[in-house]
Amino acid sequence: MVLTTAVGLAFVPRLVRSGDSGGGAGRAWARPEVFLCLVVLLVYLNQVLFTVYILRVHGGDTSFIARYVPEGWFALADGPSMRSLAAHFPHPGLLAPSMLRVPAFLELPFGLLSYVTVLRWLDRGLYRRVATSWTVWAASLSYTFAFCAVEWILHTPYAVDDIVIRACTGLVTPLLIRWLARQDTDAPAITSFAQMLLFAVSVWALGQLVLTVYDTALLYNLGHLGGRLPGAVVTAAILVAARWQAARTPPGGESGLALNSIGTGLRWALALFFVAALPIRYGVNFGTPLIAGMAGLLICAAAAVHALREGLSGAGTRRTVLWALQIAAALLAGGAAGAAAVWLVTDTYYEAGVLRAAALCFAVAVAVCALTDRWIDRRLATSEKIPAPEV
């Protein structure tokens, strides 16, 4: 956590400030979200095969492997349909790699593709610069080390196999992401109020689906899928609708000083978090929550400083004071909405509450900024049009 945070703060700012690297051929299918869907399909296919393996080879008993991991894993989907498939599946012993080994290969692309998908939705130019630079290799190394450290802490009988597999996927995944980024076309970063709201909805929906995949597949809880499937279907529909509308809403457009500074700060935060994101996330669960919290706050503070330097350059004293009042009001309103979102709902995983709070906080903050920007700009424009009295 300390090393990756230092790398992000020291070297990523130069990358963020650099110019675009130029678009590619613009293949519609060469997007990170398309390959993320493919990875998710492979994850669930592996879970079906894993269930077949456990039912046929181990008689449905997972105690031999469950004792190595925390509680809450291996809730099998062993209904009539699954048992019928298992009964007719040939050579089930060949499915042994579906337990821990195949997910070890798929988990890194799942995480990295999810992150760069969000980055692309916010700023396609920044996504391309990050994904085609050394940063994607640093993130792959950072995430792979975090995954391998967890493997060693849990230390199942397959820990060494999993570490070797994760090292291999750590070399392959950056090549895929770099290739995808080179195929992308130019597009302006989103700045309008409508696009920022659609971005907040999209990120919330994607995050919910990511948590569903983790619970029902990467933790081998395919038995939970039936209960979570209706909500996942609704969330997926919301995500598709939000991205469909985002594609038909101009990404650019006029935005006021406060709204623009919120967008700039978010771009900086996503870029600075990229390398350190997974170590910080696992630091919360594996004994170093204080360091994880400090690292996260330090990155947020650095993003705010960079956003201030960019957003307030050229603004007069009067406008800067008004901007400070706007941001204070936006943070208070957004923080209150985010806190309520956490307190009013009990979550199985704390990430769900954090995700919901962050998305609602962002949406309320940009709404306050957009409304106050419009009011302030109108007042300033009116005052400029009033001629000074003749003496």
Side-chain angles (χ1 to χ4, degrees):
M1 284 188 292
V2 173
L3 179 60
T4 54
T5 300
V7 168
L9 295 178
F11 300 106
V12 171
R14 184 181 303 175
L15 178 66
V16 177
R17 297 191 187 101
S18 64
D20 282 348
S21 56
R27 297 179 176 89
W29 53 269
R31 300 179 181 181
E33 53 263 48
V34 174
F35 282 76
L36 177 60
C37 290
L38 177 60
V39 170
V40 170
L41 289 176
L42 292 176
V43 167
Y44 277 107
L45 174 61
N46 180 75
Q47 287 308 298
V48 172
L49 298 179
F50 165 78
T51 305
V52 170
Y53 170 74
I54 292 295
L55 291 176
R56 285 285 301 278
V57 178
H58 294 277
D61 181 17
T62 60
S63 60
F64 73 99
I65 189 65
R67 60 192 179 94
Y68 293 100
V69 299
E71 294 183 3
W73 291 45
F74 300 112
L76 297 182
D78 59 349
S81 299
M82 185 62 72
R83 288 192 173 274
S84 176
L85 174 63
H88 296 88
F89 199 95
H91 307 294
L94 297 178
L95 301 178
S98 64
M99 182 172 59
L100 298 181
R101 270 68 57 85
V102 172
F105 185 83
L106 296 174
E107 197 166 10
L108 179 65
F110 179 69
L112 280 178
L113 287 169
S114 298
Y115 200 106
V116 297
T117 292
V118 172
L119 193 58
R120 183 182 183 273
W121 288 344
L122 180 66
D123 188 335
R124 198 175 299 182
L126 179 59
Y127 150 71
R128 192 168 54 248
R129 293 196 300 275
V130 168
T132 57
S133 71
W134 60 268
T135 314
V136 71
W137 290 103
S140 179
L141 176 62
S142 167
Y143 293 17
T144 299
F145 181 87
F147 283 137
C148 291
V150 173
E151 291 280 0
W152 193 255
I153 291 172
L154 299 179
H155 211 77
T156 69
Y158 311 101
V160 175
D161 294 350
D162 290 345
I163 289 173
V164 173
I165 292 170
R166 291 186 185 279
C168 293
T169 193
L171 298 175
V172 174
T173 305
L175 296 175
L176 170 63
I177 293 176
R178 288 169 65 89
W179 179 82
L180 289 174
R182 292 193 182 102
Q183 312 308 309
D184 219 332
T185 54
D186 288 315
I190 66 171
T191 57
S192 67
F193 173 56
Q195 277 284 6
M196 287 191 180
L197 283 184
L198 289 170
F199 173 78
V201 173
S202 301
V203 173
W204 169 82
L206 177 63
Q208 286 293 116
L209 294 174
V210 166
L211 289 176
T212 299
V213 173
Y214 261 104
D215 178 44
T216 61
L218 293 176
L219 297 185
Y220 301 86
N221 292 327
L222 201 58
H224 294 173
L225 185 60
R228 301 196 65 169
L229 189 58
V233 171
V234 172
T235 303
I238 293 173
L239 176 59
V240 171
R243 299 320 304 162
W244 182 86
Q245 184 61 40
R248 285 151 183 79
T249 303
E254 295 184 2
S255 61
L257 182 62
L259 184 61
N260 186 63
S261 64
I262 292 290
T264 302
L266 183 59
R267 291 181 188 92
W268 275 102
L270 284 177
L272 294 176
F273 263 111
F274 184 44
V275 178
L278 197 69
I280 290 176
R281 181 256 178 270
Y282 275 124
V284 174
N285 297 92
F286 287 89
T288 53
L290 179 60
I291 299 176
M294 291 176 61
L297 290 175
L298 183 60
I299 291 175
C300 289
V305 170
H306 288 296
L308 286 176
R309 289 177 178 174
E310 289 188 17
L312 295 181
S313 59
T317 303
R318 180 184 178 187
R319 188 65 185 92
T320 301
V321 172
L322 292 174
W323 171 89
L325 295 175
Q326 288 179 268
I327 295 299
L331 292 178
L332 285 173
V342 172
W343 289 336
L344 294 177
V345 180
T346 301
D347 299 287
T348 304
Y349 299 103
Y350 80 90
E351 293 93 340
V354 172
L355 174 67
R356 183 175 58 256
L360 187 58
C361 177
F362 178 77
V364 171
V366 297
V368 171
C369 288
L371 291 174
T372 54
D373 274 337
R374 182 174 299 182
W375 182 79
I376 290 173
D377 291 343
R378 285 179 179 176
R379 292 294 298 269
L380 291 177
T382 302
S383 63
E384 291 175 357
K385 291 180 180 179
I386 298 176
E390 296 183 2
V391 178

